Amino acid sequence: MIGEIILQKVLPQVFRGSSDELPVSGSEIWMEDKVVFFRGNYYLIEAESGTGKSSLCAYLYGTRHDYDGEILFDRSDIRHFTVSRWCELRKTSLAYLPQEMGLFPELTVMENIEIKNRLTSYKSSDEIHRMLERLEIDHKAGEPAGRLSVGQQQRVAIVRALCQPFDFLLIDEPVSHLDQRNNECVAALIDGEARWCGGGIIATSVGNKIMLPDYELLRL
């Protein structure tokens, strides 16, 4: 279990240089002595385009390492994690919804979701259909993902990301293509799943913010 994520003097290497080269002055994350995300809490990271929000998610998920400073899961530096450790964390502790979603357009909605769920055995077929129904896309379950609108694809990717237990859910601009009503539906589903497993949420936003309750707002 990951109880807390700690960032110490973290900065993407592309921004390496003097302090006036930071992407945004007044960042509450980059180059801070200590930033702590606690399991069970919600965080919304507000960013401008080009300030590294997707990079931050990739660092926390372990798919990129081009940063200075240290990222700790509890007291362990993630740079030293083995491939097998990362595989286990991504199955039981870290869920991730990247901005690009990563759906297979030729596969159906259910086939896309089942790719993840077969690895975790976390949700039953009925539970998956209920999540899709809550997001008003259950009638699309047998459709190829490539035929869906971008907003519908985003909701499918959200359901897929929730098909595992997590200590932290990382979601990069999760509602960028959703209107207010669908934003509320997505936020309610994510909030319920997080409360069920006691997980924390780290969400990024450039514009449209996910409507989570009781979140701490940070500027990137």
Side-chain angles (χ1 to χ4, degrees):
M1 185 180 77
I2 304 171
E4 59 185 25
I5 296 175
I6 303 169
L7 279 63
Q8 297 180 158
K9 293 286 188 181
V10 172
L11 182 70
Q13 290 175 354
V14 69
F15 299 134
R16 182 187 291 165
S18 61
S19 59
D20 59 2
E21 292 180 39
L22 291 176
V24 175
S25 60
S27 172
E28 295 173 292
I29 294 178
W30 299 140
M31 288 301 294
E32 288 294 296
D33 289 336
K34 188 175 185 179
V35 179
V36 184
F37 300 109
F38 294 100
R39 183 178 185 268
N41 291 357
Y42 298 173
Y43 303 90
L44 180 60
I45 299 173
E46 193 174 50
E48 296 178 12
S49 181
T51 58
K53 62 176 183 56
S54 296
S55 297
L56 175 63
C57 291
Y59 298 157
L60 298 179
Y61 200 60
T63 53
R64 285 179 55 185
H65 308 281
D66 54 321
Y67 61 88
D68 295 330
E70 292 184 324
I71 298 176
L72 310 177
F73 288 176
D74 298 319
R75 297 184 179 181
S76 299
D77 189 332
I78 66 173
R79 287 188 187 276
H80 305 310
F81 289 179
T82 62
V83 171
S84 60
R85 177 95 181 266
W86 276 117
C87 289
E88 183 63 23
L89 286 172
R90 292 169 188 160
K91 184 178 178 181
T92 62
S93 296
L94 290 173
Y96 182 29
L97 173 63
Q99 183 181 357
E100 64 273 14
M101 295 182 282
L103 298 177
F104 295 96
E106 71 279 7
L107 299 182
T108 68
V109 166
M110 281 299 292
E111 287 170 342
N112 269 282
I113 295 170
E114 286 168 352
I115 288 174
K116 173 69 169 288
N117 198 57
R118 279 198 297 268
L119 296 174
T120 63
S121 301
Y122 189 60
K123 296 288 186 182
S124 67
S125 179
D126 286 344
E127 287 173 322
I128 292 171
H129 279 285
R130 283 196 292 271
M131 288 195 292
L132 291 172
E133 186 174 4
R134 287 185 63 180
L135 301 187
E136 301 181 356
I137 50 172
D138 189 44
H139 64 292
K140 299 289 186 179
E143 289 284 331
R147 295 184 185 175
L148 273 58
S149 70
V150 177
Q152 290 170 334
Q153 290 179 24
Q154 198 162 46
R155 282 175 275 167
V156 173
I158 287 164
V159 171
R160 183 188 58 188
L162 294 175
C163 285
Q164 69 167 92
F166 59 85
D167 298 318
F168 286 92
L169 171 64
L170 312 173
I171 42 179
D172 190 8
E173 290 198 71
V175 294
S176 56
H177 300 285
L178 304 183
D179 58 21
Q180 181 173 338
R181 183 172 61 83
N182 282 308
N183 186 328
E184 291 173 352
C185 291
V186 164
L189 177 64
I190 289 175
D191 178 46
E193 292 294 316
R195 291 182 186 276
W196 175 257
C197 65
I201 299 171
I202 301 174
T204 70
S205 170
V206 169
N208 196 17
K209 300 179 180 66
I210 186 169
M211 301 172 71
L212 292 170
D214 304 321
Y215 61 78
E216 179 180 346
L217 182 64
L218 296 170
R219 188 183 184 204
L220 190 61

